[in-house]
Amino acid sequence: SPGMDRPIVADRDFERSMGKELEAATYEPIDGKKKHEGRLIGMDKENIVIESGGISIVIPKAKISSARLKVRF
């Protein structure tokens, strides 16, 4: 069975991860970075929105190379 660090790919995966901390890597820089960490606070057909340090970042799903729940020990 897939572990907690399984990739988040489908819309259903993102919906299930709403409000949780995740790590997303992008194919090209968004706001000057290719790696983003934060709480998933929104999504629509084309984008996800993560919040980190009081700042919301909109990331187009088409530009996400990988996304996973952030695992804390």
Side-chain angles (χ1 to χ4, degrees), residues 45-63:
K45 214 172 171 96
E46 283 133 28
N47 303 294
I48 66 166
V49 182
I50 61 173
E51 185 270 329
S52 179
I55 298 170
S56 297
I57 302 165
V58 177
I59 302 173
K61 289 179 188 172
K63 294 188 178 180

Side-chain angles (χ1 to χ4, degrees), residues 2 6-18 20 40 43-45 48 61 69:
R6 75 172 184 264
I8 300 170
V9 180
D11 284 351
R12 198 173 91 215
D13 298 332
F14 284 106
E15 288 168 5
R16 206 178 8 237
S17 302
M18 195 63 69
K20 297 180 181 169
L40 181 62
M43 65 170 280
D44 61 26
K45 214 172 171 96
I48 66 166
K61 289 179 188 172
L69 286 178

